[in-house]
Amino acid sequence: QVRMVESGGGSVQVGGSLKLSCTASGLPFESYVMGWFRQAPGKEREGVSCLTQSGISQSYIDSVKGRFTASRDNAKNTLYLQMDSLQSEDTAMYYCAAVFIPRGPYVLSSVCSPSQVKYWGQGTQVTVSS
C-alpha cells in the first residue's frame, strides 16, 4: 500500500551538488510531517531535515544548515532535498520518511527523529569523494 521511492542519489566530488526526490503513494501525503534521514556505516540514523505539512517551516541538523534545502510539493506527493557544497561527511544512505500526522502542537526539530517515523522509503546512496 504505502510506497515511497527516492531518486537522485549518486557520486559527487567534494563541493558538488545533488538533488534528491521522494515520491509517495498510498498515504495522505499532505497530512504528514515529512523528513529526510541518513545513515552512514557504523553510525546511528539521524534526521537531516523535516518539514511541516505545508513545507513553510523546515528543521535542519546543524551540520547541513546553509548547505541543504528541503521542500515539498503536496500536489505531486513529492519531497525534495537540494544538497549543495557537499562534504565527505555527507556520505550516507539517505531515506525519505513520513514522520507522523500531527494531532496537536509539536516542535518540529524534536519530532525529526527515527523513533517518530511511521513509514520509510528504501533509501538512496549519496557518496561524496575527496
Side-chain angles (χ1 to χ4, degrees):
Q1 292 184 345
V2 175
R3 189 179 186 190
M4 300 196 297
V5 181
E6 299 100 329
S7 62
S11 298
V12 66
Q13 291 183 272
V14 170
S17 297
L18 286 173
K19 187 173 184 178
L20 307 183
S21 298
C22 168
T23 299
S25 61
L27 78 166
F29 181 86
E30 71 283 353
S31 296
Y32 275 89
V33 169
M34 299 292 294
W36 289 99
F37 294 73
R38 69 184 181 186
Q39 188 166 25
K43 299 184 67 177
E44 295 183 350
R45 190 170 298 188
E46 63 180 347
V48 177
S49 178
C50 286
L51 298 85
T52 56
Q53 293 160 303
S54 66
I56 292 176
S57 295
Q58 313 98 46
S59 68
Y60 300 94
I61 53 172
D62 289 343
S63 61
V64 309
K65 288 181 178 177
R67 301 188 298 115
F68 290 11
T69 304
S71 60
R72 64 191 293 170
D73 186 338
N74 288 343
K76 296 181 178 180
N77 284 6
T78 301
L79 184 70
Y80 304 97
L81 184 66
Q82 177 67 49
M83 304 184 293
D84 298 318
S85 301
L86 283 161
Q87 304 169 171
S88 59
E89 293 79 8
D90 296 317
T91 295
M93 186 73 73
Y94 283 72
Y95 299 91
C96 175
V99 182
F100 83 127
I101 299 176
R103 294 175 173 83
Y106 66 95
V107 177
L108 187 59
S109 60
S110 295
V111 302
C112 198
S113 169
S115 65
Q116 300 293 316
V117 172
K118 181 69 172 180
Y119 300 109
W120 295 99
Q122 84 288 346
T124 186
Q125 179 68 39
V126 171
T127 301
V128 185
S129 61
S130 62

